[in-house]
Amino acid sequence: MKIEKIFRIPGQWTISSYYTLMPLAPDNSGRLTLAACDLKTQVCSVFILDEDGKILDNFGHRKAESMFYHTGSWESWSPDCRYIYYQSGTLTKPSVSRYDIEKKSVITLDGVDLEGAPPSGEPILGGLPGMLYAAGYGYNVYNPSLCPIPFEERDRHGIFQFGFDGKEPQLEYSINDILSFHPMKDDLLSLDRELAEKYSRVCGLSLMAYCVRFSPNGEHFLLYFGNHCVVPDRNEPRISHIFYGKRGSKELHFAIDVSGRGCHWSIQDNGSLMGFYRADGDDRQHIYLFDPKDKKLSRIASPEFGGGHPSLSPVRPDICVNDENHPQIVRLWDKKRNSAVDSIELPCRVPGFVPQGTVRDHNRCCHHPRFTPDGRYILSNFFDEDNLCCIAKIKVPEELTK
């Protein structure tokens, strides 16, 4: 594979949000939205570029925090391409804004946060990323002062639903709501009490709900429940449970317990899940598809270095893309043969920099590769020769696009 084009904001650290979120405008105009940070001022902004990389618009200016270097501003298109949604607040005081591209006007909602707007439009579902960073993600320290809502107030935080129609945001699934129908409720609450007693703290488990991920058609979503990013000195066992739901229904269904065994899951248009998992009796993680209805795992690929962010080609579902931080590679896999078919080396950190756990700053990025809707290209973050993050448009071999 080869890079056909590079998208960047000149002189700035440029990133395209998450691998489950498409930066290309859904009207096939070739426009894309991304975020960039001026490392001298630490001010980040949202941009719209044309297909040639020319800047068309720039808005959403704010001070960059650790989370920016992982997911940008979660900049997202509305289905009609009229609006861009983006994070506009801070970890402790979150807000989401909607920018009207034609009118150049902004509406802001306080108290909610963005994890990517659904491809099918409003209402939006989202957790509070400040909870993850308070637990230790991004900074590698437990810092509950970063929580927009205290961990122990489990009736006040979880997954919110909101839109820009004038209605107040609603807490759609609180932590206690999810616990009420969680199949492991008794065990979790028992462990919670045990740890709280043992360490003389308000709550034993830093439970939260987060990482809402929508399918490409916006009809299905998954979310995480647990504490998977909490720092080790909290002495909490890692809890990472995936629930799935369907747009328009309040029902949530428990899918799979990936605690200590899996990460980076997404959901497909048919409702099946895809991600990394270490099955019982195996000593390494593989990429699997998981059917939450019949609970069956289907192995797709076996990368030597595991990890990464896997997704399927929209035109060739037997082809999977995945990134590897060590070595720094984006690789294509043939699901039928469980073998690699092509790859490209892409730097994802400053030379000599050694990542420290989940700490996030300008020295590293996640590739977050994703296929374009026509399957002909892959868009991926990477580091250029100036040690600045930017976005590569990579040509997929033609024989893998038909």
Side-chain angles (χ1 to χ4, degrees):
M1 292 190 292
K2 292 183 179 179
I3 295 177
E4 185 171 288
K5 185 168 186 58
I6 295 174
F7 294 98
R8 56 161 69 89
I9 304 304
Q12 296 198 36
W13 202 96
T14 311
I15 189 167
S16 175
S17 184
Y18 205 59
Y19 80 108
T20 56
L21 197 62
M22 176 48 59
L24 286 173
D27 62 359
N28 298 317
S29 63
R31 293 176 297 167
L32 73 162
T33 184
L34 43 80
C37 180
D38 183 328
L39 296 182
K40 293 177 182 176
T41 64
Q42 290 296 299
V43 171
C44 61
S45 310
V46 179
F47 290 82
I48 299 175
L49 308 184
D50 69 11
E51 59 184 339
D52 296 319
K54 179 185 175 183
I55 297 173
L56 300 175
D57 212 339
N58 173 213
F59 48 91
H61 315 295
R62 63 189 174 110
K63 203 75 172 176
E65 294 182 279
S66 175
M67 64 177 169
F68 175 84
Y69 300 102
H70 184 212
T71 49
S73 292
W74 280 108
E75 57 286 349
S76 315
W77 291 93
S78 64
D80 60 4
C81 296
R82 179 178 174 179
Y83 306 114
I84 297 288
Y85 304 95
Y86 61 94
Q87 285 178 322
S88 52
T90 65
L91 289 168
T92 55
K93 293 183 178 180
S95 67
V96 177
S97 292
R98 188 182 75 177
Y99 178 72
D100 187 312
I101 296 172
E102 185 178 334
K103 295 181 178 178
K104 312 287 185 186
S105 60
V106 176
I107 301 175
T108 298
L109 288 176
D110 294 324
V112 290
D113 215 330
L114 192 63
E115 299 181 289
S120 43
E122 298 178 29
I124 296 168
L125 285 177
L128 297 173
M131 311 296 286
L132 278 80
Y133 286 78
Y137 194 87
Y139 296 106
N140 235 25
V141 293
Y142 184 76
N143 186 1
S145 66
L146 289 178
C147 283
I149 298 168
F151 283 113
E152 61 269 20
E153 296 186 21
R154 293 173 177 166
D155 282 318
R156 294 186 55 225
H157 68 88
I159 304 299
F160 292 83
Q161 179 171 283
F162 59 94
F164 291 82
D165 54 4
K167 296 178 182 177
E168 286 293 314
Q170 299 295 316
L171 181 54
E172 189 75 354
Y173 308 103
S174 74
I175 302 307
N176 279 337
D177 285 339
I178 297 173
L179 278 171
S180 70
F181 54 78
H182 198 302
M184 303 176 195
K185 172 186 176 180
D186 292 341
D187 290 339
L188 287 171
L189 290 179
S190 176
L191 180 58
D192 184 47
R193 288 190 297 267
E194 179 186 321
L195 292 175
E197 226 174 85
K198 183 175 180 179
Y199 296 108
S200 300
R201 55 198 194 206
V202 179
C203 57
L205 293 171
S206 307
L207 296 177
M208 55 192 126
Y210 50 99
C211 295
V212 180
R213 306 286 179 251
F214 278 90
S215 60
N217 64 6
E219 290 303 306
H220 301 268
F221 66 90
L222 67 78
L223 61 87
Y224 277 72
F225 175 85
N227 65 347
H228 89 279
C229 57
V230 74
V231 290
D233 58 22
R234 280 281 294 175
N235 295 304
E236 298 180 38
R238 173 176 166 162
I239 296 167
S240 190
H241 298 161
I242 297 178
F243 286 79
Y244 74 98
K246 194 165 184 180
R247 188 174 175 86
S249 171
K250 192 175 170 65
E251 283 189 68
L252 275 185
H253 303 274
F254 179 78
I256 186 172
D257 177 359
V258 297
S259 305
R261 293 144 53 103
C263 58
H264 299 144
W265 287 76
S266 60
I267 191 163
Q268 312 302 300
D269 280 344
N270 62 4
S272 65
L273 308 182
M274 181 183 184
F276 271 95
Y277 189 71
R278 181 180 292 106
D280 290 336
D282 210 328
D283 61 353
R284 58 186 284 195
Q285 288 191 344
H286 307 271
I287 302 174
Y288 284 96
L289 278 177
F290 176 75
D291 188 323
K293 294 177 182 176
D294 63 20
K295 307 296 182 184
K296 286 185 180 178
L297 282 167
S298 172
R299 186 185 297 184
I300 291 178
S302 303
E304 183 180 354
F305 297 98
H309 305 80
S311 57
L312 297 177
S313 165
V315 296
R316 284 282 301 272
D318 53 320
I319 300 299
C320 169
V321 66
N322 181 58
D323 52 334
E324 302 171 17
N325 282 328
H326 181 76
Q328 300 171 63
I329 281 176
V330 169
R331 203 182 302 271
L332 289 175
W333 290 84
D334 184 329
K335 185 174 72 169
K336 292 179 180 176
R337 295 183 294 165
N338 185 23
S339 63
V341 289
D342 207 342
S343 65
I344 182 171
E345 291 187 25
L346 286 179
C348 59
R349 54 183 176 266
V350 172
F353 176 77
V354 179
Q356 303 297 314
T358 57
V359 171
R360 293 286 173 182
D361 62 22
H362 65 279
N363 289 300
R364 65 181 288 206
C365 72
C366 280
H367 290 113
H368 290 164
R370 69 215 83 174
F371 287 98
T372 56
D374 60 11
R376 296 174 56 207
Y377 297 95
I378 291 166
L379 298 174
S380 176
N381 299 317
F382 82 110
F383 269 70
D384 65 11
E385 62 279 359
D386 295 321
N387 293 330
L388 290 173
C389 189
C390 51
I391 293 90
K393 182 181 180 183
I394 303 160
K395 185 78 173 71
V396 176
E398 195 168 335
E399 64 271 19
L400 301 180
T401 65
K402 300 176 181 178

